Amino acid sequence: MRYWSVVFALAAIFSVGAFVYAPLSGDWWLPNPSGDMHHSVSSFGREIDSLFVIILVITGVVFIGTQVVLVWEAYRFADRVDDAGRPVRQARYFHGSQRLEVIWTIIPAAILVFIALYQMGTWANIKFRSAAPKVQPTAEVTARQFQWIFRYPGPDRKLYTPDDLYTVNDFHFVKDRMTLINLRSSDVIHSFFLPHMRIKQDAVPGMIIPVWFDSDTAGHFELVCAELCGWGHYKMRGNVTVHASDEEFAKWQADLLAEQNRSQLSMATDNQGR
Amino acid sequence: MSTESIGSDPGGPAPQATDPGRGHAREHGHGHDHIHPAPSHFLTKYVFSQDHKIIGIQFLFSGLIFFVLGGLLAMAIRWQLAWPWKPLPILGSALWSSPSLGYQMPPEFYNKLFTMHATIMIFFVIIPLLTGAFGNFLIPLMIGARDMAFPKLNMFSYWFMWPAFVLITYSFFVEGGSSEAGWTGYPILSIAKWATPGSLNGQTFWLMALLFAGVSSLMGSINYITTIVMLRAPGMRMFRMPMTVWAMFITAILQAFALPVLTSALIMQLLDRTAGTNFFSPVGWQVANSPPVVGGGGPLLWQHLFWFYSHPAVYIMILPAMGMVSDVIATFSRKPLFGYKPMVIAIAGIAGLGFIVWGHHMFQSGMNPALGATFMLSTMMIALPSAIKVFNWLGTMWGGRIQYTSAMLNAMAFVAMFIIGGLSGIFMAATPVDILIHDTYFIVGHIHYVLFGGSTFGIFAAIYYWYPKMFGRMMSERLGLIHFFLTFVFFNGTFFLMHIIGMHGHPRRIADPLVYEYLNRAGVIGMNQFMTINAFLLGLSQLIFAYNFLASLFLGPKAPVNPWHANTLEWGTSSPPPHYNFARIPTVYHPPYEYSVPGVEQDFLPQTEPLPPGIVLDPVMA
Ligand code: HEM
Ligand SMILES: [Cu+2]
Ligand SMILES: [Cu+2]
């Protein structure tokens, strides 16, 4: 009967094993560029990853500790009977211990408060509007079923003027720049999720929400819709291009402008008839 | 009536065993001194019964039937995720008679699957089983009452579930099909009729079903509170109540305070959908080229109202299980519960804090991020009482004489799995980390470690433990152990790796993960398939339970009065208990967990047996 403890032990080993293996495999760890799995591409990403690891270590220790106790108890205190069918030992009779109770209240409380306070700064940097970079927004992003519409400032470098540029499901920004966008939704709630930059923010109809992030790696990434938004939710995917330099970005914009002028129809009207 | 004020003698001297007449006047609630004869007609006895035991069993069967439905939906979800767009085996060609699409599952159907799976599991399985079935069956028996305070209200609380059952089942067949706005029903998706097929009519049915289920719960909770306050047997002080009763009591209070908020939110959404109000719609949104709406409200209002109920609701879904598991662990460790009073305080603490943490579901919602910071603190604090409870269960087993019954194993699994569910909660409570894992499979993993690893193992423990009392027959222990073993293994196989793909950024509620490059990786696909295979095996293992449960009703050996040698009052009356529960209202002499008291010959000491001379109970915290 005491071998039931093995069942509990195996579950714990499986759980710990999965998290021990995770950092060794690109597919199991936090989303990072392929081939470079221990390198988050954004400054927020690095902060969040290290907070993740800290919590993983703390919870891991607690998890292993409690499971060891549980498995040990399941093994050690299993009921055994002697040949005459009488219990080999009697259970101990006690109702608890005030001192233990106090200890295991205060220590976890301290750890939890520590975790909470330790995270505050990062949270404030990522979300508090007062921390938003004082730059012109790179784009206004409007989510709708089931696409992402980007509106960039045109040659006059101002948003909401007639020369604005539009793309659909195609997001561009520049490496090493804190990039600011204004996030909106024109129908249901969507969620702007950049897994590689560790950015997620719901796009709520009726609200304009500033979101900012950066990337220290040029290349191609993905934009996900993380809030259920209807039957096509799963395919509301965007391409993200991080340009290596301002020049490259400017060139992309110039090309886009040329194309947009050529086709007369702006993307915006094009998109009206879905 | 007795002059002693009803049931309120905390701290008072243990009453003497007095005249038998005194008991049944007080528990009867309306002061006359006779017992109604047991109903003899089949309809009044088993269908429109006012007997709390029958009502509990009615809830039990209904919940288990919906469990089967919810489980089948879950397997269909898993199928699609492991092998996207491969037609469902057998069902595929029957459900979608369109060979041109290769009998694929339409994406909106996938959305219906997880919406209805979650709705059914939460509102039609877990809550009705925990509070409806076990709350009803156990509360009067455990406090030594003859029935609930309001038996007729109790009957209505079950029959108000029927409109809910019918509406939610019927919603699959209405135009547009069932709701697909998720079990959280977030606007605008839920209120704009053309936003997605399920928003056409299914959402209206969903709202009405939840309204009825809510009314049912409210009736139940009022009854529980009144019964526990008013109808305790002589000597049953508050601090002599078993943890199960404490947990049900606090859950009922939680429900009574939180449910009205959900009810009003549901009505508001219903009005938005049908009467053209704009509680949840802002100015100028537009779905699928419909004219822009002149709004005035906002979707965040729904989220606040919804989570103000639904966060406490997740404790409604776990506290009763915690209470029952405490009883089971103490019984099968043959030891007093470690820290009984701290456990009660912890439950009350969870309930109190439960009301100020709802915002942690809204960290990424666009709510003021400064609120996020305060909700992070309160959420961290609610982890504390949960931790205390875990340590107390471990302390209870320490030095015990653990008996591996099916009930005990399920209870231990509850503890082991609840630890995982609790610890993953800390990641989500930490707001910056939550940015990554919110709305990913990490959350789905967490939910299931709490709801399946926690509540469901708790329900299994409770069924194995109280089945003999409910039905007067024993379940097969051997089948019970096999069922436990398979369930435990495949449960972990199904849900653990969800944490891993979640932290890899796998969003939840997406019909086809392969659309995304970063998810289109061997490891992620492999894990999805591994989970699905385990999910199917998990589902199959439940057949053993179903067989054991049903066959034992007829074939199980007759149950003795007290098969587990437990102390609480329900084990002092016949199995199953007679109409009105007790031939004579018991008198209670001590706390519920006096196992292995030195000097007492047996290793248990029923609450109704006076202390043998010369024995002193351990005063610490008892
Ligand atoms: C065989 C057992 C089960 C399997 C395989 C299963 C599978 C799933 C899956 C795959 C999802 C994710 C849907 C998504 O968000 O993409 C889900 C969601 C959910 N399940 Fe289960 N489930 C099972 C049992 C249960 C039980 C017993 C409960 C309740 C006690 C439950 C409650 C929920 C809830 C609340 C959600 C959240 C859905 C949402 O918010 O979208 N499940 N389940
Ligand atoms: Cu979307
Ligand atoms: Cu979406």
Side-chain angles (χ1 to χ4, degrees):
Chain A
M1 288 301 255
R2 59 165 46 171
Y3 295 107
W4 279 108
S5 58
V6 178
V7 178
F8 289 96
L10 286 177
I13 292 169
F14 172 65
S15 315
V16 174
F19 273 102
V20 170
Y21 176 71
L24 306 177
S25 156
D27 301 359
W28 286 46
W29 195 235
L30 305 155
N32 285 316
S34 47
D36 190 6
M37 63 209 201
H38 292 293
H39 169 77
S40 312
V41 297
S42 73
S43 33
F44 294 153
R46 278 186 292 278
E47 282 183 50
I48 289 176
D49 289 4
S50 63
L51 295 174
F52 183 93
V53 171
I54 289 173
I55 299 182
L56 187 62
V57 169
I58 294 175
T59 52
V61 169
V62 176
F63 177 71
I64 293 172
T66 44
Q67 298 291 328
V68 164
V69 173
L70 183 83
V71 170
W72 164 248
E73 289 179 329
Y75 178 80
R76 173 72 177 69
F77 300 116
D79 190 16
R80 278 181 303 153
V81 287
D82 60 20
D83 298 338
R86 310 256 325 153
V88 172
R89 64 177 155 240
Q90 207 190 354
R92 276 185 245 162
Y93 177 70
F94 57 80
H95 282 85
S97 144
Q98 206 89 258
R99 184 184 308 158
L100 270 178
E101 218 65 71
V102 170
I103 293 176
W104 68 42
T105 307
I106 289 185
I107 294 180
I111 294 175
L112 289 165
V113 170
F114 164 77
I115 294 178
L117 296 181
Y118 193 77
Q119 319 264 328
M120 290 282 187
T122 305
W123 174 248
N125 282 336
I126 300 178
K127 294 270 179 170
F128 278 28
R129 295 202 179 176
S130 52
K134 311 277 176 294
V135 295
Q136 283 288 317
T138 303
E140 183 203 65
V141 183
T142 307
R144 57 182 283 180
Q145 289 178 325
F146 298 98
Q147 51 194 207
W148 299 98
I149 297 168
F150 295 87
R151 176 177 186 162
Y152 299 90
D156 66 355
R157 301 180 159 233
K158 287 207 187 73
L159 258 174
Y160 312 117
T161 51
D163 68 345
D164 285 353
L165 297 166
Y166 293 88
T167 62
V168 174
N169 290 339
D170 193 17
F171 181 35
H172 292 249
F173 65 98
V174 184
K175 177 173 168 268
D176 292 328
R177 289 262 183 286
M178 208 28 107
T179 300
L180 177 72
I181 60 164
N182 283 330
L183 185 60
R184 307 177 32 190
S185 164
S186 66
D187 44 38
V188 304
I189 302 178
H190 302 265
S191 189
F192 182 87
F193 179 25
L194 295 173
H196 297 93
M197 285 100 209
R198 317 282 189 265
I199 282 295
K200 188 177 286 134
Q201 175 59 57
D202 285 5
V204 186
M207 292 173 78
I208 298 178
I209 302 173
V211 184
W212 55 98
F213 43 84
D214 65 357
S215 166
D216 65 6
T217 307
H220 294 280
F221 301 95
E222 289 179 285
L223 166 60
V224 184
C225 176
E227 182 69 62
L228 176 63
C229 58
W231 66 269
H233 164 58
Y234 70 99
K235 57 173 192 180
M236 188 164 158
R237 176 185 177 279
N239 287 312
V240 177
T241 306
V242 179
H243 290 279
S245 63
D246 288 329
E247 293 75 48
E248 200 185 299
F249 182 73
K251 174 161 186 316
W252 169 76
Q253 274 205 325
D255 291 350
L256 181 64
L257 184 67
E259 189 193 327
Q260 211 157 287
N261 289 341
R262 227 181 2 257
S263 66
Q264 302 281 340
L265 277 170
S266 80
M267 295 289 275
T269 43
D270 200 81
N271 279 314
Q272 294 293 287
R274 190 168 56 96
Chain B
M1 272 201 73
S2 146
T3 48
E4 193 186 331
S5 68
I6 292 177
S8 56
D9 53 348
Q16 327 292 304
T18 46
D19 61 307
R22 190 182 128 217
H24 78 251
R26 41 184 303 189
E27 98 289 339
H28 205 44
H30 48 274
H32 57 141
D33 251 36
H34 68 274
I35 292 177
H36 298 289
S40 52
H41 192 275
F42 178 82
L43 268 185
T44 44
K45 197 164 170 190
Y46 294 113
V47 182
F48 297 103
S49 173
Q50 300 185 20
D51 182 337
H52 71 99
K53 300 185 289 295
I54 304 288
I55 296 172
I57 288 168
Q58 287 172 328
F59 269 112
L60 181 66
F61 276 99
S62 314
L64 290 175
I65 288 169
F66 274 95
F67 201 1
V68 175
L69 178 59
L72 291 174
L73 296 177
M75 291 199 241
I77 298 175
R78 282 307 329 170
W79 176 267
Q80 168 74 8
L81 284 172
W83 295 284
W85 314 123
K86 270 239 203 110
L88 283 174
I90 310 159
L91 283 178
S93 48
L95 283 173
W96 301 287
S97 46
S98 151
S100 59
L101 291 175
Y103 303 116
Q104 284 172 3
M105 173 190 297
E108 65 269 22
F109 186 81
Y110 179 83
N111 293 4
K112 293 182 198 308
L113 282 178
F114 65 73
T115 300
M116 297 309 277
H117 162 73
T119 304
I120 286 173
M121 287 298 191
I122 289 177
F123 295 102
F124 296 88
V125 178
I126 298 293
I127 296 182
L129 283 182
L130 284 176
T131 59
F134 289 103
N136 264 313
F137 188 84
L138 294 174
I139 290 173
L141 282 169
M142 288 185 129
I143 63 172
R146 293 209 190 277
D147 205 324
M148 285 288 177
F150 311 115
K152 211 169 262 163
L153 186 68
N154 209 14
M155 177 184 82
F156 285 130
S157 96
Y158 178 69
W159 285 103
F160 262 77
M161 281 305 283
W162 271 91
F165 292 152
V166 171
L167 285 164
I168 205 76
T169 314
Y170 187 64
S171 81
F172 282 102
F173 305 103
V174 299
E175 191 192 351
S178 71
S179 162
E180 53 193 73
W183 75 276
T184 49
Y186 280 5
I188 304 299
L189 188 59
S190 54
I191 59 180
K193 296 219 166 169
W194 308 109
T196 201
S199 300
L200 194 57
N201 292 315
Q203 186 68 19
T204 308
F205 279 76
W206 183 89
L207 288 164
M208 293 194 300
L210 258 55
L211 271 172
F212 278 104
V215 171
S216 154
S217 292
L218 203 54
M219 290 177 171
S221 56
I222 289 164
N223 225 335
Y224 299 169
I225 297 172
T226 319
T227 306
I228 293 171
V229 171
M230 305 294 282
L231 299 187
R232 278 168 289 129
M236 179 58 88
R237 304 174 199 154
M238 291 299 269
F239 281 108
R240 282 181 179 174
M241 299 196 307
M243 286 308 292
T244 302
V245 179
W246 264 114
M248 297 283 178
F249 181 56
I250 291 171
T251 305
I253 296 175
L254 208 55
Q255 221 162 21
F257 280 102
L259 251 171
V261 178
L262 178 72
T263 307
S264 31
L266 292 172
I267 292 173
M268 284 153 86
Q269 193 179 108
L270 206 54
L271 291 174
D272 270 9
R273 287 180 55 82
T274 56
T277 57
N278 286 307
F279 291 112
F280 303 129
S281 52
V283 177
W285 57 273
Q286 182 175 23
V287 166
N289 295 331
S290 63
V293 169
V294 208
L300 288 192
L301 175 59
W302 166 265
Q303 297 189 17
H304 281 293
L305 294 175
F306 179 83
W307 288 115
F308 187 84
Y309 167 75
S310 291
H311 192 80
V314 307
Y315 297 109
I316 294 169
M317 288 182 260
I318 194 86
L319 289 181
M322 288 178 163
M324 299 190 299
V325 158
S326 305
D327 277 22
V328 171
I329 289 183
T331 303
F332 293 115
S333 302
R334 314 308 295 163
K335 274 191 66 220
L337 190 69
F338 191 101
Y340 170 81
K341 270 189 192 159
M343 288 280 249
V344 173
I345 295 167
I347 294 191
I350 290 177
L353 288 168
F355 281 109
I356 56 166
V357 299
W358 80 89
H360 68 216
H361 297 272
M362 300 173 62
F363 286 152
Q364 321 309 335
S365 69
M367 164 184 88
N368 183 343
L371 279 177
T374 50
F375 278 121
M376 161 154 63
L377 257 177
S378 61
T379 303
M380 289 288 178
M381 282 348 296
I382 206 170
L384 189 59
S386 314
I388 295 174
K389 299 200 61 109
V390 167
F391 297 140
N392 277 306
W393 289 316
L394 294 177
T396 305
M397 284 164 58
W398 192 268
R401 187 150 70 71
I402 298 173
Q403 298 173 354
Y404 289 111
T405 57
S406 310
M408 180 61 173
L409 283 163
N410 280 287
M412 285 171 63
F414 175 101
V415 177
M417 300 298 101
F418 181 72
I419 294 175
I420 298 183
L423 291 176
S424 60
I426 296 179
F427 291 83
M428 290 138 53
T431 45
V433 177
D434 182 68
I435 298 175
L436 172 62
I437 59 184
H438 177 74
D439 267 330
T440 67
Y441 259 85
F442 197 93
I443 308 289
V444 181
H446 165 81
I447 300 177
H448 286 92
Y449 268 87
V450 178
L451 285 182
F452 198 124
S455 312
T456 309
F457 276 120
I459 287 171
F460 283 140
I463 291 179
Y464 284 116
Y465 187 64
W466 279 293
Y467 188 95
K469 189 53 64 183
M470 290 181 134
F471 300 109
R473 303 228 179 216
M474 306 296 290
M475 285 175 90
S476 155
E477 268 299 310
R478 170 174 310 192
L479 289 180
L481 296 180
I482 297 173
H483 166 242
F484 166 74
F485 176 77
L486 297 177
T487 307
F488 187 73
V489 170
F490 296 133
F491 162 75
N492 280 291
T494 306
F495 294 107
F496 194 79
L497 296 180
M498 288 188 182
H499 297 113
I500 304 276
I501 58 172
M503 74 194 208
H504 191 68
H506 193 316
R508 82 203 257 203
R509 300 170 168 182
I510 57 169
D512 181 3
L514 304 186
V515 167
Y516 295 95
E517 246 165 65
Y518 75 108
L519 300 177
N520 214 333
R521 296 195 180 177
V524 180
I525 297 168
M527 276 188 270
N528 264 327
Q529 293 171 347
F530 176 83
M531 287 187 252
T532 296
I533 293 168
N534 274 279
F536 277 78
L537 294 173
L538 179 61
L540 279 180
S541 318
Q542 303 319 305
L543 293 178
I544 303 173
F545 174 78
Y547 171 79
N548 193 2
F549 185 94
L550 294 175
S552 304
L553 284 179
F554 307 103
L555 309 175
K558 285 255 185 310
V561 166
N562 189 359
W564 318 118
H565 302 296
N567 286 345
T568 39
L569 298 188
E570 77 274 25
W571 301 108
T573 183
S574 62
S575 309
H579 191 65
Y580 285 126
N581 297 348
F582 299 96
R584 184 170 161 272
I585 287 296
T587 301
V588 174
Y589 295 95
H590 25 246
Y593 300 114
E594 298 303 323
Y595 292 105
S596 304
V597 182
V600 177
E601 201 178 323
Q602 305 158 314
D603 66 354
F604 66 114
L605 182 60
Q607 285 190 281
T608 49
E609 268 177 31
L611 262 187
I615 307 281
V616 225
L617 295 180
D618 181 356
V620 184
M621 297 205 202

